[in-house]
Amino acid sequence: MTDQVRRAILSGSVFEEEIGYARAVVDGDRVHVSGTTGYDYATMTISDDVVEQAEQCLRNIGAALAEAGCTFEDVVRVRYLLPAREDFEPCWPVLRKTFGQVRPAATMMECGLADPRMKIEIETDARRGPVGSRLRIEQVSGTAMLEQWRHVHNVIVPPAEMSLAEAEERLGRYRLENAYLGDTLVGCSTVRPPAGDGGAATVIARVLPAFRGRGIGTALYENGLAHARVLGAGAIETCVLAANEDGLRFAKARGFAETERYVLDGESDEWVDLSLTPAPAPAPESR
């Protein structure tokens, strides 16, 4: 279930402060992105070309959607506002590249905009539902993917922030995977091979906070669990930062029980080890 708390997302645009609105609002499983123009908010500049403005509109919207835990694939409605209707068709290739596979409901309106330099404004509505088959899980390979894995790891467990060299060392010993919605990174996982007398493997699934509650953690966990079985795990363990309440609830909901709470020497953060024993057997095939 998605978070039902209303949340405003700000982009840093001076217009949001001066007028009094948010770039986007998350309201339950709905995400409403305000009319967005082609300003580059980092420099507060805008191109004279309508196609370049459309591209910048989509970059601005994409950033807001990602902060809301969405991608363009979650968009269900889009509205295009242009002062000159003849400017709309030149933008079609850019819009088709983003929405051609998504096919949201769409409306184009010819109307005046707040600034004469603005040639297009785009507004979207999205729904944060279960990701289902749209989720892509890939084993980490190469520096770019490893940097992505490290980013998620460090966001979720900042007390154990990892350098690239440390991540490379993990990659040599463990199975590391990243999860994506389209091209958007949403999570990662670690599977440590079985060790010790009980042959326990460690499976850790991590999901960026904005994307939780959409089935991503379950998919990462089940994928890691399947790999641990292939390795012959006799037991499954996981480790969660105690401050990560979402992570603890997720583990306990899947049958993990706490085995130990501890603080590492010289540190103040509490960690929780949990165990699931024996490793669950694969579900029988239906006939």
Side-chain angles (χ1 to χ4, degrees):
M1 181 177 293
T2 53
D3 187 357
Q4 295 300 310
V5 177
R6 175 182 163 126
R7 177 166 62 95
I9 293 172
L10 305 178
S11 69
S13 164
V14 295
F15 301 123
E16 295 167 21
E17 184 66 26
E18 291 177 355
I19 299 172
Y21 70 98
R23 174 58 45 209
V25 173
V26 180
D27 187 15
D29 65 353
R30 301 289 177 175
V31 178
H32 308 280
V33 182
S34 297
T36 301
T37 63
Y39 269 96
D40 181 338
Y41 295 123
T43 61
M44 286 307 296
T45 59
I46 189 168
S47 170
D48 291 330
D49 182 75
V50 67
V51 175
E52 291 180 1
Q53 286 194 27
E55 291 171 337
Q56 185 63 49
C57 285
L58 294 172
R59 283 193 288 270
N60 295 340
I61 291 169
L65 288 172
E67 191 171 343
C70 288
T71 71
F72 282 110
E73 292 187 356
D74 296 303
V75 172
V76 296
R77 171 166 280 282
V78 59
R79 299 173 183 86
Y80 304 107
L81 314 176
L82 295 94
R85 62 177 179 269
E86 61 268 21
D87 280 344
F88 189 42
E89 189 169 351
C91 298
W92 288 0
V94 171
L95 305 177
R96 184 168 58 247
K97 183 178 179 181
T98 299
F99 296 115
Q101 299 300 315
V102 182
R103 299 298 180 94
T107 302
M108 180 271 180
M109 291 182 283
E110 184 180 20
C111 61
L113 298 180
D115 187 312
R117 292 171 294 176
M118 299 173 180
K119 297 184 177 182
I120 185 171
E121 183 170 315
I122 303 176
E123 175 185 336
T124 62
D125 294 316
R127 179 177 179 274
R128 299 170 68 239
V131 297
S133 61
R134 294 189 292 123
L135 185 69
R136 175 167 51 92
I137 299 175
E138 295 186 1
Q139 186 173 357
V140 171
S141 175
T143 302
M145 289 187 70
L146 186 60
E147 282 283 23
Q148 292 177 323
W149 180 93
R150 185 170 75 98
H151 167 73
V152 177
H153 174 279
N154 291 350
V155 167
I156 304 304
V157 284
E161 186 170 312
M162 199 177 293
S163 68
L164 180 58
E166 291 170 324
E168 287 172 341
E169 188 273 335
R170 296 291 198 285
L171 184 60
R173 294 190 292 131
Y174 306 149
R175 181 182 179 90
L176 310 183
E177 293 183 328
N178 289 340
Y180 304 90
L181 279 178
D183 294 327
T184 301
L185 176 71
V186 296
C188 77
S189 66
T190 301
V191 178
R192 300 173 187 166
D197 294 339
T202 300
V203 177
I204 303 173
R206 310 176 189 90
V207 179
L208 291 173
F211 290 90
R212 291 175 182 169
R214 303 190 63 185
I216 297 168
T218 297
L220 276 167
Y221 166 70
E222 290 179 350
N223 206 63
L225 194 61
H227 185 68
R229 291 185 187 125
V230 170
L231 296 176
I236 300 295
E237 297 176 340
T238 194
C239 179
V240 181
L241 186 65
N244 182 2
E245 296 180 358
D246 286 344
L248 284 174
R249 281 195 294 268
F250 178 88
K252 291 178 179 179
R254 278 147 190 83
F256 282 87
E258 289 189 24
T259 57
E260 184 180 8
R261 286 186 176 237
Y262 55 91
V263 176
L264 297 174
D265 291 342
E267 299 183 6
S268 58
D269 296 284
E270 186 177 42
W271 297 85
V272 183
D273 284 346
L274 305 100
S275 181
L276 181 70
T277 309
E285 294 183 5
S286 59
R287 297 184 181 276

